[in-house]
Amino acid sequence: VLYRIGDAPDGLFGVLSGGFAFEVAPHERGPTFVHLFHTGAWFGEAELFDGRPRIATIRATQRSSLLQLPLAALRDLAATSPDMWRLLGFLSANMLQLALCGVDDLMIRDSGQRIAAILLRLASVRLSEVEFVDPDQDISITQDALAAIANVSRATVAQHLSDFESAGLVTRSDGHVRILDSGRLRGRVSSDEPLP
């Protein structure tokens, strides 16, 4: 665990390799796994604006490495480069877009389309082919965790993953899903047609 909900903010983090689960507990339940950060992602900026305790738990999902910009270093940078706050605001705006897209995906009624959308988001290729991700990177997620995110049963997830695998869209291994064809999987999100 890199940090937990309630910890004091200690800077900004960038993922150099591996992956990190983002877990939240804004209400009565949780923490709940809601997203994955992969190589190239930055996180931890929200609390830098107001100094409040961490609002999420971040834990490694595999062997990983990070870059940390400690809080004191960020303050020094901001003192010499006022543009730093605009850049942090840009990162926050990207996180807001990610959250809104995630909420929108959860409103997809068809469970297969919803699961496809969530897999694309977890792989950081929901909106486009080129984001900050290694195209061969696995999504470190169990079927139970995917079922919780998609708000469906584990059996429903297993059936859809089996269908996706048969269609050549994904491969599965223990605790991992790899997207083989993000373009066709994205097409599955927007189509009511059953898979061949």
Side-chain angles (χ1 to χ4, degrees):
V1 173
L2 181 62
Y3 57 76
R4 295 183 188 280
I5 295 167
D7 286 354
D10 55 353
L12 187 66
F13 296 89
V15 182
L16 297 175
S17 66
F20 291 83
F22 181 75
E23 301 174 346
V24 297
H27 299 296
E28 301 82 14
R29 301 178 313 139
T32 303
F33 170 51
V34 295
H35 192 61
L36 283 171
F37 292 119
H38 298 285
T39 303
W42 286 87
F43 57 84
E45 80 292 343
E47 302 87 351
L48 300 178
F49 289 99
D50 61 14
R52 292 182 184 171
R54 292 289 189 189
I55 59 171
T57 293
I58 303 289
R59 63 176 174 77
T61 58
Q62 57 190 296
R63 189 176 188 86
S64 304
S65 60
L66 285 167
L67 173 68
Q68 179 184 17
L69 288 172
L71 198 51
L74 284 167
R75 287 186 178 133
D76 289 345
L77 280 171
T80 59
S81 176
D83 205 36
M84 182 69 166
W85 291 111
R86 185 186 65 78
L87 296 173
L88 288 172
F90 178 74
L91 179 57
S92 286
N94 284 341
M95 291 296 186
L96 178 59
Q97 181 184 20
L98 176 68
L100 292 174
C101 289
V103 169
D104 186 57
D105 286 344
L106 290 176
M107 297 174 73
I108 298 171
R109 289 185 182 219
D110 179 84
S111 59
Q113 291 174 317
R114 186 165 63 252
I115 291 167
I118 290 167
L119 287 172
L120 291 163
R121 178 174 54 83
L122 294 177
S124 297
V125 292
R126 174 67 175 103
L127 301 178
S128 68
E129 291 291 343
V130 181
E131 293 185 33
F132 302 106
V133 68
D134 173 355
D136 293 327
Q137 191 162 347
D138 287 337
I139 303 168
S140 297
I141 191 167
T142 64
Q143 291 187 26
D144 286 332
L146 184 54
I149 293 173
N151 201 20
V152 295
S153 69
R154 186 182 189 283
T156 299
V157 165
Q159 180 59 58
H160 287 297
L161 288 179
S162 178
D163 293 345
F164 295 165
E165 196 166 35
S166 295
L169 304 179
V170 305
T171 59
R172 293 179 289 173
S173 59
D174 191 34
H176 297 274
V177 176
R178 180 178 294 220
I179 296 176
L180 299 177
D181 191 333
S182 59
R184 284 182 56 222
L185 190 61
R186 193 175 296 109
R188 173 64 182 100
V189 175
S190 59
S191 172
D192 291 329
E193 297 294 319
L195 290 170

